[in-house]
Structure formats: structure tokens, C-alpha cells
Amino acid sequence: MILNRRSLMTTALTLGAMKAFPGLSYAQARPLVFATFTGSWEEAHKAVLVPAFRKANADAAIVLDPMLSVDQIAKVNAAKANPPIDVMLHDPGPALVAIGQDLAEPYPVEKSAYYKDLIAEAQEPMGPAPFFQVVGLTYNPEAIKTPPTSWADLWKPEFKGRVGITNLNSTLGTGWLVEIAKMRGGSEANVDPGFKALEELKPNLAAVAANPGALATLFQQGQIDISPGNFNAIQILKARGVPVEFVAPKEGAIAFKTTIHIVKNSPNRELAFRLIEASLSPEVQTTLMNPPYLIVPTNSKVAMGGEIARVLAKDTAELKQKFVFQDWKKINEQRSAWIERFNREIKI
């Protein structure tokens, strides 16, 4: 038998879980697998959520498996009876897909200590929303002296070869395409004007990133100077000294909630529930709201403060008033076709 570092670590984590929960069999005691997102999300969860979960659960074993929502859904779909993931993290569109394909367990709200404290929009019985995300314009203030004010600024001639975008596999990419379409007369049901705008943007494109984490890396490497981007994703870059700023475009920044789900048929249902409980707690949400993470909280007992209150909104009511919320049920009807079209037509 060949033992590599990964298998030794997994075995150690499994034995740790059996020690923490003596009633578990070896098969049941595989580490809890949490499919978070890449980039700043992975870093935030690794630094804050995972330690809080382990502290409250006798150092229970947990593994982070960062990937896009579409990949989480594909992975669980490929092994529904014995899923390799216990907890999924989704933006609105993929969440509807996962629930529609019967991949998520109903959340046991009756035994949750925090569900009732979430704002109404975050109380989702198939998987609550611990976080809000906000998408606006990200730019390098050392290279761009006049801050952008509109999505349309990405098409300015002075930004030739300096713009970055993501493909449509991410919520960032698809949500932004919808807003570009709206800017030119389209809607969630008609993104043809958005694709026409993308064609016109090609001379300015320096890169099409595979995901938001990769987009952040392009800023860090100096390969792009301006892009659509997540508010919280750039905060960790700023903390590292990367020159980058966020601004809400005049058309309105995009806001959406991120939900967290227990995977159906998970052998670790109880641990999955406890991880989600940790994500909903005021302690974890308060820590994640502070630098360098700046993730918008959803627990009503956590008052928005600091940079979030200064740049985004002082409370949830203002957030809902100021930002654009998209119809992801409508978007999902054509999203797969849009992804195929984007991959076929948008190449640099």
C-alpha cells in the first residue's frame, strides 16, 4: 500500500473525527468536506469559519474543497448516493439548480439557534444565506487616476489591453453580462445586446479569467488595471498592499446572497449542520465583516460597520434600496446556452 501525504492527512483527520464522535463508524467518519469558492472566500473560510467550527465541535475533521458552484453541482450529481461533498456554497443561480436537481437537504430550521435572527431575505429553508456579495468596478488607482463611474467606462479607448473579465461560469461573469445587456436595452431574458457589447470590448480585453479568484490574481500580477469585481474579493488584495479600489457604477452595483446547503445523502449531516450554524453565528459574521475580509453579514444582530458601512450601505434596508438584485430564475432559463456562446465567441 502506498501512502502519500494527502492520504496520511485524510486518515489522521478521519481518526480525529472518530475520536470527537465515538458513535461514528469509519465510513461515516470521513472528514467533513466543505466546497467553498476559490480566492478570497477560501482564505476567509480557512482563517475564520473553519477554526470557529472546530473550536465548537471538539476539533472535528474538515477539509476545504474550493471550486465554482457549477463544479460542485457536477461533482455531487456524479455520485448522488455517496456524495464526495457534505456542504455546498452557492450564489442564487446555482442554488436554484442544485435545489431543482434534488441535491440539497432541507435545513433543520427547528433546531437552529440562529436561523430566526437572519434577515428575511436570508431565511431560505433549503439552505440559509450567511453572506451577501456586491459586484461593482475594480481598478488600479496608480494606473487609473480618474476613478471609473460607469460600466461603460470599460470601453474607453485609454483602457485598450487593460481590461479583465471572467467567463460566464461564475455568478460575477453572468451577472455582469446581464447588466451590460440592460445598459443597451436588454434584460435577464435577452442578453444579445450584452454579447454585442462584449464583441466591441475585445480590443480592450487583456484577459478572460476562469473565475473571480483568478481575476484577483491578474490584478496582483499587474496584468489588468480595471474589471468588474466583487467588493470583498479585493479587500484581501488591498491588505497585501496591491493597489486596487472598488467603486459602485452609476447604473447600480449588483447585490446577491450566497447560500450554504447540506448535501443530500451526506454521511456527515450533523457536522454539516454545525458548520452552517457557525457561519450564521454573530461571532463569525462579525469577524468576517471586519478587515481584511469585509463580507456583508446577514444576521440581524450584526450591525454593519467600518468599510462596509462607509462604502456600501449602513444597514440591510439601504443595501436593498441602493443595489441591483437580478432575477436568477429567469437567468437560469438560458444560462447554459449563454456559457456555450461566450466560450465560442469571446476569445482573445
Side-chain angles (χ1 to χ4, degrees):
M1 180 179 180
I2 298 173
L3 291 178
N4 56 31
R5 184 180 176 193
R6 183 182 179 89
S7 64
L8 285 169
M9 183 176 294
T10 300
T11 300
L13 291 171
T14 302
L15 292 173
M18 294 178 72
K19 182 180 177 183
F21 299 92
L24 295 178
S25 68
Y26 187 85
Q28 290 172 318
R30 72 159 169 75
L32 180 75
V33 178
F34 173 29
T36 182
F37 299 148
T38 58
S40 61
W41 287 97
E42 179 186 3
E43 292 187 40
H45 289 153
K46 186 176 181 181
V48 179
L49 177 55
V50 168
F53 162 76
R54 298 189 73 181
K55 183 179 179 182
N57 292 283
D59 210 26
I62 179 171
V63 172
L64 286 178
D65 193 3
M67 67 184 88
L68 290 169
S69 282
V70 291
D71 296 327
Q72 295 179 36
I73 290 171
K75 205 167 181 179
V76 173
N77 250 325
K80 285 184 177 178
N82 186 25
I85 296 170
D86 301 297
V87 179
M88 296 184 290
L89 193 67
H90 289 310
D91 294 335
L96 290 171
V97 173
I99 293 168
Q101 296 182 357
D102 198 25
L103 304 182
E105 295 270 2
Y107 193 65
V109 298
E110 68 285 351
K111 69 174 187 178
S112 171
Y114 307 112
Y115 188 85
K116 65 182 185 307
D117 294 330
L118 300 179
I119 61 174
E121 290 78 5
Q123 294 188 14
E124 294 284 355
M126 289 303 292
F131 320 110
F132 260 114
Q133 294 189 58
V134 176
V135 172
L137 284 160
T138 302
Y139 69 101
N140 177 348
E142 292 183 357
I144 298 174
K145 299 302 182 185
T146 302
T149 60
S150 165
W151 296 124
D153 289 348
L154 295 171
W155 280 258
K156 285 184 173 178
E158 59 262 41
F159 297 146
K160 184 176 181 179
R162 300 165 69 186
V163 174
I165 60 174
T166 67
N167 65 31
L168 300 196
N169 285 332
S170 67
T171 299
L172 167 60
T174 299
W176 177 70
L177 173 66
V178 169
E179 290 312 296
I180 295 306
K182 287 180 180 176
M183 192 173 67
R184 297 195 176 198
S187 68
E188 280 95 339
N190 174 23
V191 297
D192 284 345
F195 273 104
K196 185 177 179 183
L198 281 177
E199 190 65 32
E200 295 169 10
L201 185 63
K202 282 182 178 178
N204 282 14
L205 286 180
V208 178
N211 54 58
L215 190 70
T217 300
L218 292 173
F219 273 104
Q220 197 167 11
Q221 295 173 341
Q223 296 187 42
I224 60 174
D225 289 326
I226 186 169
S227 76
N230 286 74
F231 172 75
N232 65 294
I234 72 163
Q235 305 308 324
I236 290 179
L237 291 181
K238 289 179 71 173
R240 290 176 182 154
V242 178
V244 63
E245 292 291 346
F246 175 93
V247 64
K250 65 182 183 183
E251 295 85 2
I254 308 163
F256 54 87
K257 56 192 173 187
T258 297
T259 50
I260 188 166
H261 306 265
I262 301 173
V263 175
K264 191 167 187 178
N265 298 325
S266 162
N268 287 316
R269 284 189 187 86
E270 180 59 27
L271 285 176
F273 168 73
R274 296 186 190 190
L275 175 68
I276 295 173
E277 282 292 281
S279 75
L280 305 179
S281 69
E283 294 79 13
V284 166
Q285 292 208 2
T286 298
T287 303
L288 289 176
M289 182 182 68
N290 291 321
Y293 310 110
L294 299 184
I295 294 174
V296 180
T298 60
N299 189 313
S300 61
K301 293 187 175 179
V302 180
M304 292 188 193
E307 191 74 357
I308 286 178
R310 187 182 72 80
V311 177
L312 298 182
K314 65 178 184 301
D315 54 31
T316 308
E318 187 178 12
L319 182 78
K320 289 190 285 189
Q321 184 180 25
K322 286 175 60 177
F323 294 92
V324 174
F325 292 84
Q326 299 174 324
D327 183 350
W328 279 92
K329 187 175 180 181
K330 179 62 70 178
I331 290 171
N332 276 359
E333 292 175 2
Q334 301 184 72
R335 189 180 181 193
S336 296
W338 297 348
I339 292 172
E340 289 180 15
R341 180 177 174 182
F342 181 93
N343 292 340
R344 187 173 61 249
E345 296 182 4
I346 310 303
K347 295 175 181 175
I348 58 174

